[in-house]
């Protein structure tokens, strides 16, 4: 553990970025569990309209993350883009709280909040750019620290916000809390992050942005991005089937869902440290494959659960494996595009979008074939296939 404290003590970029992403996670954790309830039940959006808003917002998030990452690399500036995108959290959450109408909710979700969520990948890009000279195990620890901060916020905030909202007539107060957390994130970046050093002006012809972006992609890279998305789609499948299985054939209650989510999040924080140390002794894709196999075991277990304790017991395996599936792909994606840390970090947003889309498709297929249990197992199998792809591709690379 001394290496973890040493990195935090000696590198202000890691300290400041970890603090900023911790508060970013607070803002997301304060609203995400209640977003659907606010949009559909309190503001009166139809299910179809709400789904369309979230889908468009997801696409906007990916486009903004890629564009901001590309521009950060091109102009060798991360602090200014971070100040800009993080400021939109205060704007987006604030206007929903001040004027809670369907139109405001839709516009804020699609525009300012999509901009705000680019803060996540840009913070990872900032750390990757400033710690390029780190040894591989130090870089893995820095990335794990960043991801732990996000998970830790999800351990702490949903329950606290839930207690606050229990005394309120409306859940819209969650957006006020999120605006405060977003303001804190902005303040940490604004006052804690050192100004960017002025990069030398590039010589030679400047490449137009679109051809430059297309030129970065290669068949091997596309296959690697697809492999990571197949692995991470298990999280979407689990998020969909877990509440349905608990309150269905497992005969649990809604409170069991909250306890299980908190339990797994806590275990994730602990085992992210384990996986960050494990990749010092094994290849990252091997560790990811082990995580995927363990997650298949977990999903297979809950697919046949008939009592709440079955799911609680299986969730211990979920905590161990989810920690790897959440944290390891970040290090892998950040190293995919050499010397382009901002663009590499934007792949985190691309992966989140692709993983969610694939997970939704797998759930729909499995549920149509034979129910929620089948969907869970199919998701786990797809994750193992994705991990096997990555192991094969990396072993073919000299």
């Amino acid at each position: 553990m001394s290496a973890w404290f040493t990195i935090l003590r000696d590198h202000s970029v890691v300290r400041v970025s970890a603090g900023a992403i911790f508060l970013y996670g607070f803002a997301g954790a304060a609203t995400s569990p209640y977003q659907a309830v606010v949009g559909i039940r309190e503001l009166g959006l139809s299910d179809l309209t709400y789904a369309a808003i979230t889908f468009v917002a997801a696409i906007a998030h990916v486009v903004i993350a890629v564009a901001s990452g590309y521009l950060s690399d091109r102009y060798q500036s991360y602090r200014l883009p971070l100040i800009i995108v993080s400021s939109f959290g205060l704007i987006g959450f604030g206007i929903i709280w001040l004027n809670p109408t369907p139109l405001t909710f839709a516009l804020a979700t699609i525009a300012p909040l999509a901009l705000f969520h680019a803060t996540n990948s840009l913070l990872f890009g900032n750390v990757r750019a400033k710690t390029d000279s780190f040894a591989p195990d130090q870089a893995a620890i820095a990335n794990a620290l960043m991801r732990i901060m996000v998970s830790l916020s999800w351990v702490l905030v949903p329950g606290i916000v839930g207690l606050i909202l229990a005394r309120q007539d409306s859940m819209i107060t969650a957006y006020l809390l999120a605006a405060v957390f977003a303001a804190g994130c902005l303040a940490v970046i604004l006052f804690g992050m050192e100004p960017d050093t002025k990069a030398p002006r590039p010589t030679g012809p400047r490449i137009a942005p679109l051809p430059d972006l297309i030129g970065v992609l290669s068949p091997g890279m596309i296959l690697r991005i697809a492999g990571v998305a197949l692995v991470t789609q298990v999280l979407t499948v689990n998020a969909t089937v877990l509440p349905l299985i608990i309150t269905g054939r497992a005969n649990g209650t809604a409170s069991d869902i909250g306890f299980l989510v908190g339990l797994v999040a806590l275990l994730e924080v602990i085992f992210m440290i384990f996986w960050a140390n494990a990749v010092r002794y094994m290849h990252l894709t091997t560790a990811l494959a082990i995580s995927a196999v363990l997650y298949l075991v977990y999903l297979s277990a809950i697919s046949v659960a008939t009592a709440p304790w079955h799911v609680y017991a299986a969730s211990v395996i979920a905590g161990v494996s989810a920690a790897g599936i959440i944290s390891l792909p970040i290090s892998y994606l950040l190293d995919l595009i050499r010397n382009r840390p901002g663009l590499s970090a934007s792949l985190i947003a691309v992966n989140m979008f692709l993983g969610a889309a694939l997970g939704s498709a797998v759930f729909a297929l499995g549920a149509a074939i034979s129910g929620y249990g089948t969907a869970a197992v199919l998701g786990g199998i797809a994750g193992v296939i994705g991990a096997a792809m990555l192991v094969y591709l990396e072993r073919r690379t000299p």
Side-chain angles (χ1 to χ4, degrees):
M1 288 298 293
S2 61
W4 295 68
F5 292 115
T6 300
I7 288 174
L8 279 173
R9 183 192 65 206
D10 296 345
H11 300 279
S12 64
V13 64
V14 179
R15 284 198 309 275
V16 173
S17 297
I21 208 165
F22 188 50
L23 289 165
Y24 164 83
F26 269 28
T31 52
S32 291
Y34 313 104
Q35 180 176 288
V37 177
V38 169
I40 295 171
R41 292 185 181 170
E42 292 199 14
L43 301 182
L45 294 170
S46 67
D47 294 344
L48 182 61
T49 302
Y50 176 80
I53 290 168
T54 54
F55 180 72
V56 173
I59 294 176
H61 173 211
V62 171
V63 172
I64 292 165
V66 172
S68 59
Y70 175 83
L71 292 172
S72 295
D73 289 339
R74 185 156 184 158
Y75 296 102
Q76 293 295 289
S77 173
Y78 297 90
R79 182 175 179 270
L80 180 58
L82 276 166
I83 290 171
I84 293 170
V85 296
S86 62
S87 66
F88 280 99
L90 175 60
I91 295 169
F93 292 123
I95 61 175
I96 291 176
W97 175 69
L98 288 170
N99 185 36
T101 65
L103 180 60
T104 302
F105 180 88
L107 293 177
T109 303
I110 291 169
L113 291 182
L115 276 159
F116 173 65
H117 289 306
T119 305
N120 180 52
S121 56
L122 270 179
L123 283 169
F124 276 101
N126 179 59
V127 170
R128 179 70 177 81
K130 303 293 173 59
T131 59
D132 196 45
S133 60
F134 277 26
D137 58 333
Q138 290 179 312
I141 289 173
N143 292 332
L145 275 168
M146 294 286 287
R147 194 57 189 84
I148 285 171
M149 289 297 106
V150 179
S151 291
L152 193 57
S153 67
W154 276 81
V155 173
L156 299 171
V157 172
I160 296 172
V161 173
L163 290 173
I164 294 171
L165 295 182
R167 299 181 176 89
Q168 304 288 325
D169 295 331
S170 169
M171 290 188 176
I172 207 70
T173 306
Y175 283 84
L176 171 61
L177 298 173
V180 173
F181 293 137
C185 176
L186 171 61
V188 169
I189 294 168
L190 190 60
F191 300 110
M193 197 167 286
E194 296 178 2
D196 296 307
T197 54
K198 195 168 182 63
R201 197 174 185 83
T203 58
R206 292 180 73 87
I207 305 172
L210 189 57
D212 190 22
L213 276 171
I214 295 172
V216 167
L217 296 175
S218 65
M221 182 174 294
I222 292 172
L223 285 174
R224 285 170 170 82
I225 293 170
V228 174
L230 277 171
V231 173
T232 55
Q233 57 81 34
V234 299
L235 302 173
T236 298
V237 171
N238 177 65
T240 308
V241 301
L242 181 64
L244 297 169
I245 289 174
I246 290 173
T247 56
R249 64 180 296 164
N251 300 308
T253 64
S255 62
D256 288 314
I257 299 171
F259 283 125
L260 285 164
V261 170
L263 170 65
V264 172
L266 180 60
L267 290 171
E268 285 170 4
V269 171
I270 297 168
F271 283 100
M272 279 180 193
I273 299 172
F274 165 79
W275 287 115
N277 290 324
V279 294
R280 299 168 66 181
Y281 308 103
M282 68 176 75
H283 197 281
L284 189 147
T285 53
T286 303
L288 194 55
I290 294 170
S291 299
V293 171
L294 287 173
Y295 211 83
L296 171 59
V297 172
Y298 156 71
L299 288 172
S300 299
I302 67 168
S303 71
V304 295
T306 55
W309 74 265
H310 296 164
V311 184
Y312 278 93
S315 292
V316 176
I317 303 173
V320 177
S321 51
I325 291 170
I326 290 169
S327 62
L328 295 174
I330 292 174
S331 294
Y332 185 79
L333 292 169
L334 287 172
D335 287 333
L336 269 188
I337 308 175
R338 295 291 179 181
N339 303 318
R340 307 289 285 271
L343 199 55
S344 290
S346 72
L347 294 179
I348 298 170
V350 173
N351 175 66
M352 289 170 63
F353 177 76
L354 292 177
L358 286 171
S360 298
V362 169
F363 168 75
L365 176 63
I369 292 174
S370 186
Y372 304 138
T374 301
V377 174
L378 278 181
I381 292 171
V384 172
I385 292 171
M389 283 175 57
L390 296 176
V391 171
Y392 174 74
L393 288 166
E394 294 308 320
R395 287 186 177 172
R396 288 189 61 200
T397 303

